[in-house]
Amino acid sequence: MGGDETSARRKDRPWLMRTYAGHSTAEASNALYRRNLAKGQTGLSVAFDLPTQTGYDPDHVLARGEVGRVGVPVSQLGDMRRLFQDIPLERMNTSMTINATAMWLLAMYQVVAEEQGADVTTLQGTTQNDIVKEYLSRGTHVFPPGPSLRLTTDMIAYTVAHMPKWNPINICSYHLQEAGATPVQEIAYAMSTAIAVLDAVRDSGQVPAERFGDVVARISFFVNAGVRFVEEMCKMRAFGRIWDRITRDRYGIENAKQRRFRYGVQVNSLGLTEAQPENNVQRIVLEMLAVTLSKDARARAVQLPAWNEALGLPRPWDQQWSLRIQQVLALESDLLEYDDIFAGSHVIEEKVAGLVADSLAEIDRIQEMGGAMAAVESGYLKAQLVSSHAERRARIESGEEKIVGVNCFETTEPNPLTADLDTAIMTVDPADEARVVAALHRWRDDRDEFRAQEALSVLKKTAAGSENLMPATLECVRAGVTTGEWAWALRDVFGEFRAPTGVSGAPLAVTAEAGTPLAAVREKVARTASDLGTGRLRLLVGKPGLDGHSNGAEQIAVRARDAGFEVVYQGIRLTPEQIVAAAVAEDVHCVGLSILSGSHAELVPDVLARMRAAGAGEVPVIVGGIIPSADAAALREAGVAAVFTPKDFGITEIIGRIVDEIRTANALDPLEVSA
């Protein structure tokens, strides 16, 4: 009888299943989307390339080597048409990972939907549109905090009135965890962002008070789930409780449905390893369980990384594997047949209560500073994240935090999945960039130039005033304006913003007492400086191109500082010319370049050539990032002194190797210093 009851029980509807995808060109990405939908994917998650995310056209100098690398290039309406060709947007749920240029991409999406004959009021999907975490962790911000918050506010007001099923913001704690956030920091910083956004919408006067519940109901969240899946599941329950309290007490929302915590997930890519990458499969499964096991805290949408993301760009087959992981759990297991299986657990309840209390205390601390935007501008949030990340890295290096295959159980059989490493990932054809640029030039040549310039003029006037920017942005789309032109028009009015790096405020993360590895490296640094007749060794840490993932660069900068280096670190988004100029002006002993976007093949040789032209060719250049083995060999052949990839997790050891390269470049004898 019990079996009959179980079989008759109605199963919950599965979450939306997505894969984060986009590469090369709009045409190639469109083909990928249609293949994924045919395999049973139930929503789209669009990855845009870095020029699109940061408001540059593909022919801009900073876009060189970045076009189509980590996502699809969309520089004008024609690209957006091709991206969604033969995909009926009226029946699609589309998530777009876009922030600084979110208004622009949403406007293009709306126009394409209109051209398909869709009713705009029925469109469903999400624009990430969380600029705070870009300042803190991902680095695709463009405008200062105030104007950025206005863009977000205008989008929310517009969608509530015209696209009521669209989620205009996806407050994103995912990248906070990747930048080192503890569960408490992830909750507190995301909730503080939500408060800043909701306060701004309320204070703008664009939404009538009686419709503010509609605003709250369209706020969604995008979170990270790490491998500590019990703690992560408790984090999600804590998120829900705090959101319910804030929306009820601070904003007076009485409708419980409008107060529901609505979230999607990408599980933790930071924890995926280059060493023994097959272990990433079980990590992904455990991380997914954290956000699906508990019915009362279950994600509304899930996208999983692929097992080989620490090696490079996943292939369609790798993404299919991750989709199948979701489908097996949802369709073959009995997960969706039960009420919340953790209800009544005193262990879970105690953990959740502790997270709630600690998170509320941190939220209060941020509010006392003036809120999330003030805490960004002061550097407080960034410094806290850099510090937390440094502490975690120190635990991994010491062996206190175990990473299987990295700092324990490192002996392994040959891996058939990576036997031919250079075919175990997807590569982007460098010729795609030229094709995208040529298409952009044809677009500009064929448009009504007067209408485009008039639309940009109206956009600037609107930005200088206080009216909602969405109508002017829609006219720019229809007039053929490009992504870079839209962003530059707003830069002219709003200015640009360089976020605090958080490096100078980060405390010492590892001890340097006599006998420790850091003490040995410190002695090595001091003796090398003495041998060279200089006060201190100087290291420039540079991030050329548009890659904003600065966690690794920041950790190298902090540890080099703690080892006795004078560190020159100017943050993200620099041209090779700017990096070389700084290296020459500061008379550095080594240049370290960090690139995770795949643009190393273009940008690193440019830096090397400029160093030689500036008379600094003897200064060693080292490179770190997600770099396939064939590329690493080519970089060394081009003159790079050393290449570091995610398998090189020992930061103190890396600093020691940097000193070795400085000694080699200056014809000094090798120096052995015991820990």
Side-chain angles (χ1 to χ4, degrees), residues 319-336:
Q319 292 192 327
Q320 175 183 299
W321 191 356
S322 291
L323 176 62
R324 296 293 186 247
I325 290 172
Q326 294 198 59
Q327 290 169 329
V328 168
L329 179 66
L331 303 177
E332 294 187 28
S333 84
D334 58 353
L335 174 75
L336 297 175

Side-chain angles (χ1 to χ4, degrees), residues 553-585:
E554 289 155 3
Q555 294 307 311
I556 291 291
V558 169
R559 193 67 56 84
R561 177 204 68 186
D562 294 344
F565 273 90
E566 179 182 334
V567 178
V568 180
Y569 176 56
Q570 299 170 321
I572 62 171
R573 217 177 299 166
L574 300 170
T575 64
E577 185 177 16
Q578 289 171 319
I579 288 172
V580 171
V584 172

Side-chain angles (χ1 to χ4, degrees), residues 40 70 141 238 323 382 390 397 466 619 664:
V70 300
H141 55 275
L323 176 62
K382 183 65 174 178
E397 290 178 59
S466 58
V619 176
T664 298

Side-chain angles (χ1 to χ4, degrees), residues 308-322:
N308 56 349
E309 285 200 15
L311 307 177
L313 189 66
R315 301 159 298 187
W317 182 85
D318 307 312
Q319 292 192 327
Q320 175 183 299
W321 191 356
S322 291

Side-chain angles (χ1 to χ4, degrees), residues 220-476:
S220 62
F221 291 79
F222 187 68
V223 303
N224 200 330
V227 76
R228 292 171 56 83
F229 76 94
V230 175
E231 181 176 68
E232 294 289 357
M233 188 268 291
C234 291
K235 179 186 76 180
M236 299 322 308
R237 297 170 89 88
F239 252 129
R241 290 187 192 179
I242 292 173
W243 182 241
D244 185 76
R245 181 182 303 188
I246 288 172
T247 53
R248 185 185 65 244
D249 296 350
R250 188 179 181 97
Y251 301 107
I253 307 302
E254 298 295 336
N255 185 335
K257 188 175 180 180
Q258 291 178 327
R259 296 200 309 268
R260 184 187 303 152
F261 182 72
R262 301 161 61 251
Y263 80 100
V265 172
Q266 157 115 359
V267 306
N268 191 354
S269 293
L270 180 68
L272 304 183
T273 63
E274 180 183 11
Q276 298 180 29
E278 65 275 13
N279 295 335
N280 293 331
V281 176
Q282 50 264 37
R283 292 185 179 109
I284 289 167
V285 171
L286 287 171
E287 291 164 353
M288 179 178 60
L289 290 177
V291 295
T292 54
L293 273 178
S294 170
K295 180 179 179 180
D296 291 347
R298 186 169 293 149
R300 299 280 292 273
V302 177
Q303 58 191 46
L304 303 181
W307 68 277
N308 56 349
E309 285 200 15
L311 307 177
L313 189 66
R315 301 159 298 187
W317 182 85
D318 307 312
Q319 292 192 327
Q320 175 183 299
W321 191 356
S322 291
L323 176 62
R324 296 293 186 247
I325 290 172
Q326 294 198 59
Q327 290 169 329
V328 168
L329 179 66
L331 303 177
E332 294 187 28
S333 84
D334 58 353
L335 174 75
L336 297 175
E337 296 174 10
Y338 297 95
D339 289 333
D340 196 281
I341 61 176
F342 296 99
S345 166
H346 66 88
V347 173
I348 298 298
E349 186 56 39
E350 183 178 334
K351 179 67 175 176
V352 172
L355 288 171
V356 168
D358 292 345
S359 299
L360 287 173
E362 181 65 7
I363 292 168
D364 288 343
R365 187 174 297 113
I366 292 167
Q367 291 307 303
E368 289 169 5
M369 295 176 185
M373 292 303 184
V376 165
E377 292 180 296
S378 71
Y380 169 77
L381 295 183
K382 183 65 174 178
Q384 294 294 108
L385 291 176
V386 172
S387 177
S388 294
H389 195 50
E391 291 170 6
R392 177 178 182 271
R393 291 299 300 254
R395 292 195 300 272
I396 294 172
E397 290 178 59
S398 70
E400 177 187 348
E401 185 170 324
K402 305 295 185 190
I403 308 292
V404 174
V406 174
N407 63 1
C408 63
F409 307 113
E410 298 165 60
T411 303
T412 180
E413 297 296 325
N415 183 347
L417 290 173
T418 57
D420 184 355
L421 190 58
D422 294 317
T423 63
I425 57 172
M426 184 173 173
T427 56
V428 174
D429 184 353
D432 283 338
E433 183 167 323
R435 288 191 279 267
V436 171
V437 169
L440 169 68
H441 292 166
R442 287 194 301 272
W443 176 267
R444 288 200 192 115
D445 290 342
D446 294 343
R447 72 185 178 185
D448 181 338
E449 190 63 25
F450 177 81
R451 184 182 179 187
Q453 294 306 319
E454 182 64 21
L456 286 167
S457 177
V458 171
L459 179 70
K460 284 187 179 184
K461 290 175 183 174
T462 307
S466 58
E467 291 181 23
N468 191 297
L469 279 160
M470 193 69 182
T473 295
L474 282 164
E475 172 54 22
C476 283

